Amino acid sequence: MVALVIWLTARRRGTSGIALGATLAIAQVWLFLLVIAIPFALYNTLIAPELSVTVHESQMWPVHFPATPTTLPAVLDGSFGDSSITVIGTTLGPRAVLAAAQIAQIAVLAAPAVMLSVAMKHALDGSPFAPAVPRWFIIGGVLLLVAGGAEALLSEIGNVLAASEVYPIDTTSSASFTLGESPHFQLIFPWWPLLASLVCAALAAVFRHGARLQEDTEGLV
């Protein structure tokens, strides 16, 4: 599909439009794939018997490390990281939260493609500084900020709720290779949605400045 769009663009606009046409085609194909992914994401989280869950581990390594190693190199301390488990019989509550996290993730992945599609389409039409371009950059930045933060928080909450239904939180267990104190919350708002929204706002300001310069030039002509 991308190759066909590039070939048609080259025939209509010459080689100067190949890069713009290719970018537009890739963004549109990406959006198409994301739309197809929505029902699969809803099925995997809401309907499928098995549910994939990620939990945070806090159990120490099941080996006693000496406080003062006698040989080097040596391990001083350690702990487990995140664990992926597959559960069945989960209630609708955690599934709904995880489904919302999946939709938010798809929205995050779709935002850059939408902004590129609008920018490339107007560039191919000969109006790269059209008012719609900075407007969609602002919309995309807000979407990245809201959906990016929501995806991280909802995913963490849904994973902990689903894991808590499968096994109780045991704060006394010290057996080797057990889940120990897991699951536990680790709600951390990521930095990248804020940075991405700032980049989108900066690009919107640049395109608005370009639109003003274009209007001034057209007025002089």
Side-chain angles (χ1 to χ4, degrees):
M1 293 174 62
V2 173
L4 178 61
V5 172
I6 294 174
W7 177 73
L8 292 175
T9 302
R11 287 195 59 183
R12 290 178 53 194
R13 305 178 183 274
T15 56
S16 60
I18 291 181
L20 298 176
T23 305
L24 176 61
I26 293 173
Q28 291 178 341
V29 171
W30 182 246
L31 286 173
F32 175 74
L33 294 176
L34 289 177
V35 171
I36 295 178
I38 292 176
F40 289 96
L42 294 177
Y43 172 80
N44 289 333
T45 52
L46 294 176
I47 302 176
E50 297 181 354
L51 183 65
S52 178
V53 177
T54 301
V55 293
H56 300 297
E57 295 293 348
S58 60
Q59 180 79 4
M60 302 304 296
W61 287 103
V63 176
H64 177 68
F65 300 121
T68 304
T70 57
T71 59
L72 297 177
V75 178
L76 292 179
D77 202 353
S79 61
F80 294 114
D82 295 343
S83 298
S84 297
I85 59 176
T86 301
V87 301
I88 59 174
T90 311
T91 60
L92 183 60
R95 287 177 174 270
V97 176
L98 290 174
Q102 288 287 308
I103 297 301
Q105 184 182 41
I106 292 175
V108 168
L109 296 175
V114 172
M115 290 184 287
L116 281 177
S117 297
V118 174
M120 295 303 104
K121 185 177 183 303
H122 283 283
L124 287 171
D125 293 337
S127 56
F129 299 109
V133 177
R135 186 185 310 121
W136 275 101
F137 271 113
I138 293 296
I139 295 174
V142 173
L143 183 60
L144 287 174
L145 179 62
V146 175
E151 188 274 332
L153 298 179
L154 291 174
S155 178
E156 175 65 20
I157 294 173
N159 283 324
V160 171
L161 291 177
S164 299
E165 292 185 348
V166 179
Y167 55 87
I169 299 178
D170 184 6
T171 59
T172 60
S173 175
S174 60
S176 299
F177 292 106
T178 61
L179 292 172
E181 298 178 359
S182 296
H184 62 272
F185 282 100
Q186 188 177 340
L187 297 179
I188 301 176
F189 189 86
W191 281 99
W192 70 262
L194 178 60
L195 297 178
S197 62
L198 290 176
V199 170
C200 292
L203 289 174
V206 170
F207 275 91
R208 284 201 184 100
H209 182 66
R212 286 194 295 267
L213 292 178
Q214 185 176 13
E215 291 176 357
D216 295 340
T217 303
E218 292 174 352
L220 291 175
V221 174

